[in-house]
Amino acid sequence: MGFFREIYKSAFRPSELKALMMIKLESDKFAPPKQPLRELAGELNDRDFAYAALSKVSRSFAVVIRQLPTGLKDAVCAFYLILRALDTIEDDMSVPDDEKIPLLLDFYNKTEIDGFTLEGIGDQEDYRVLLENYDKIIRFYKSLDKPYRDTISHACMEMGKGMAEFSEKEMVSIDDFDQYCYYVAGLVGIGLSDLFYHSGLESKVIADRKDWSNSMGLFLQKTNIIRDYHEDLYADRTFWPKEVWSMYAENLEDFAANPESADALNCLGLMVLDALRHIPDCLDYLSEIRDAQVLRFTAIPQIMAIATLAEVYNNVEVFKGVVKIRKGMAARVMTSDLTIDDVYLYFSRYLKKLLNKTTPYADHYHETRFLVNKIRLDIQNRRKALRAAKNITNEQPV
Ligand code: MG
């Protein structure tokens, strides 16, 4: 089904075709078990259940995570599932606030209680199964080294606090938006960086520069929030900050009613511009990563995000439905050996694409071009420095 449609879309891009085939083979090898997670829960040990749950709740994440070195991989897997469980509670609108808020605030403590499970929470079957079998995740989590557990627990506590705060608060200003994204994504970036540091694979700089880690999370989260405008609107969730959209509309849903309007596109442009300002931090962060697998793990989602931003920019389809990047493009990134220079090249390419979509009569035309050009110049300089460093090493006598 989907696979053949993607082949068609990439028909004139041989490198994408090859990558699609490779990823098809690869993902067949790592395909989520066909059996429902509910059945598997009775059969699998804690660790296998955790990985089965991971591949059910996030297929793309499950693929990148598998490439990480073993100890770190388990820690990242547990981290992901615990936060996914927390998010499942946050997202279930059928849970009343007087039940939800204490649960969000205390979830990091619950994760220490042997045998703790939750019944009847979750919008989707696999999420419900995850919570019903949370005792398995707790045992898996408890098998991790202490520094990993401390990092996960702390992130879970902070995120629960933030989710509780925002369940009672409207997202108005850009500051609120940044704050919310910090809670749900920045903390993930900061936590992951701690895990990388504890694994011994990455330097202390990666753990210490929480501003960089936060930007890594914010860039991904904001990109998803922009892309998911339509889906979230119809799920009765709103994440676009009022301070931004109220400049262009009475109600956020006005854009869906008038997708071709200048107001809709100007608002979208401003949301994209806001996301773009995180890129310099992301590039600083990625250039500091030493381990090739960690670089792939951290860079692939960032490349997908810049490709998505370039796709959604000035695109009325955002207000009509889901805008997705070609699977072939994603497959190509996921199957390549990714160096930092490749990361720079991808960013530069998609920023150029975005630049080509700017229109002189749009609001923030100059600001957007100025920022994008500045980042592209910075990338050029980084690449020059990289080449110079390489040449110096090459020229050194043996
Ligand atoms: Mg949520």
Side-chain angles (χ1 to χ4, degrees):
M1 28 151 270
F3 177 64
F4 293 103
R5 203 168 52 231
E6 295 300 336
I7 289 279
Y8 177 74
K9 278 195 240 164
S10 295
F12 298 105
R13 296 184 170 84
S15 60
E16 289 189 3
L17 276 180
K18 189 174 153 229
L20 271 173
M21 296 300 186
M22 281 170 70
I23 206 99
K24 175 91 173 85
L25 295 173
E26 184 83 350
S27 67
D28 283 353
K29 200 164 70 188
F30 295 125
K34 293 242 159 44
Q35 249 176 302
L37 193 59
R38 186 172 294 283
E39 281 173 29
L40 290 168
E43 298 169 11
L44 299 177
N45 65 37
D46 300 334
R47 187 172 185 272
D48 290 347
F49 174 75
Y51 280 98
L54 181 72
S55 61
K56 293 275 190 185
V57 298
S58 169
R59 194 160 178 177
S60 55
F61 197 72
V63 173
V64 282
I65 215 177
R66 275 175 201 280
Q67 302 168 345
L68 288 174
T70 315
L72 178 60
K73 181 164 67 180
D74 284 356
V76 174
C77 176
F79 187 38
Y80 184 91
L81 291 171
I82 288 166
L83 298 184
R84 168 58 58 203
L86 182 69
D87 190 44
T88 300
I89 301 168
E90 188 207 19
D91 288 350
D92 190 336
M93 292 304 166
S94 71
V95 182
D97 273 359
D98 59 346
E99 196 181 313
K100 182 188 282 189
I101 291 170
L103 197 51
L104 291 172
L105 288 171
D106 201 38
F107 197 68
Y108 75 104
N109 280 324
K110 306 279 190 222
T111 302
E112 304 291 336
I113 301 173
D114 291 328
F116 174 79
T117 58
L118 274 172
E119 306 285 323
I121 296 183
D123 292 335
Q124 293 173 39
E125 167 70 0
D126 287 335
Y127 295 170
R128 274 196 299 275
V129 177
L130 175 68
L131 288 177
E132 284 167 26
N133 293 278
Y134 198 64
D135 53 334
K136 289 174 178 288
I137 307 302
I138 292 173
R139 280 193 299 270
F140 180 51
Y141 158 77
K142 286 193 172 179
S143 73
L144 301 172
D145 291 344
K146 180 121 191 345
Y148 286 149
R149 273 184 283 139
D150 289 346
T151 297
I152 294 172
S153 179
H154 182 75
C156 184
M157 178 186 77
E158 290 289 309
M159 192 180 288
K161 221 192 292 178
M163 285 172 167
E165 184 188 325
F166 272 92
S167 73
E168 299 175 305
K169 184 166 141 185
E170 203 189 351
M171 197 128 38
V172 178
S173 64
I174 294 251
D175 282 348
D176 295 339
F177 186 45
D178 279 1
Q179 186 71 17
Y180 177 77
C181 291
Y182 159 75
Y183 284 133
V184 300
L187 282 170
V188 181
I190 291 167
L192 283 171
S193 297
D194 265 337
L195 299 180
F196 300 154
Y197 170 62
H198 290 310
S199 76
L201 293 171
E202 297 300 335
S203 71
K204 190 133 195 309
V205 180
I206 285 297
D208 285 346
R209 289 302 302 257
K210 299 193 190 318
D211 53 334
W212 288 352
S213 297
N214 185 42
S215 291
M216 290 283 285
L218 260 57
F219 184 59
L220 301 185
Q221 187 69 18
K222 288 183 173 183
T223 300
N224 289 345
I225 286 176
I226 295 168
R227 182 202 58 197
D228 294 341
Y229 164 88
H230 197 264
E231 191 188 325
D232 285 338
L233 192 65
Y234 289 95
D236 232 359
R237 297 183 291 242
T238 55
F239 297 106
W240 288 32
K242 196 171 180 179
E243 186 180 287
V244 173
W245 62 255
S246 64
M247 287 195 277
Y248 299 99
E250 288 282 319
N251 299 294
L252 186 57
E253 49 267 40
D254 294 355
F255 302 141
N258 264 310
E260 326 267 340
S261 68
D263 281 336
L265 288 175
N266 280 325
C267 185
L268 175 59
L270 190 49
M271 290 292 290
V272 172
L273 178 60
D274 172 61
L276 291 173
R277 59 189 178 89
H278 299 294
I279 294 179
D281 276 356
C282 297
L283 295 177
D284 279 337
Y285 181 97
L286 292 169
S287 66
E288 200 60 42
I289 295 287
R290 298 284 160 261
D291 181 82
Q293 307 303 1
V294 176
L295 180 66
R296 288 177 55 81
F297 178 80
T298 48
I300 288 172
Q302 302 288 325
I303 294 168
M304 299 299 166
I306 185 62
T308 303
L309 274 190
E311 191 65 44
V312 299
Y313 184 77
N314 224 347
N315 186 345
V316 298
E317 298 303 318
V318 173
F319 302 109
K320 299 179 181 174
V322 192
V323 177
K324 279 196 169 159
I325 48 175
R326 286 190 317 278
K327 277 237 172 68
M329 180 269 145
R332 210 180 125 193
V333 177
M334 291 176 95
T335 53
S336 68
D337 294 317
L338 211 58
T339 65
I340 187 66
D341 200 41
D342 297 327
V343 176
Y344 293 151
L345 273 174
Y346 276 117
F347 265 88
S348 192
R349 178 190 306 166
Y350 289 110
L351 286 167
K352 174 110 189 274
K353 180 177 169 182
L354 196 150
L355 209 54
N356 290 340
K357 290 170 80 183
T358 55
T359 43
Y361 45 82
D363 282 4
H364 312 102
Y365 168 74
H366 294 288
E367 259 177 286
T368 307
R369 289 189 69 91
F370 179 78
L371 178 60
V372 172
N373 280 320
K374 198 171 139 206
I375 301 171
R376 292 192 76 230
L377 186 65
D378 171 55
I379 291 176
Q380 250 178 47
N381 290 332
R382 284 169 187 270
R383 297 194 66 220
K384 251 188 231 158
L386 213 58
R387 278 198 300 274
K390 223 185 215 160
N391 283 337
I392 290 165
T393 342
N394 288 348
E395 280 162 19
Q396 266 168 2
V398 197

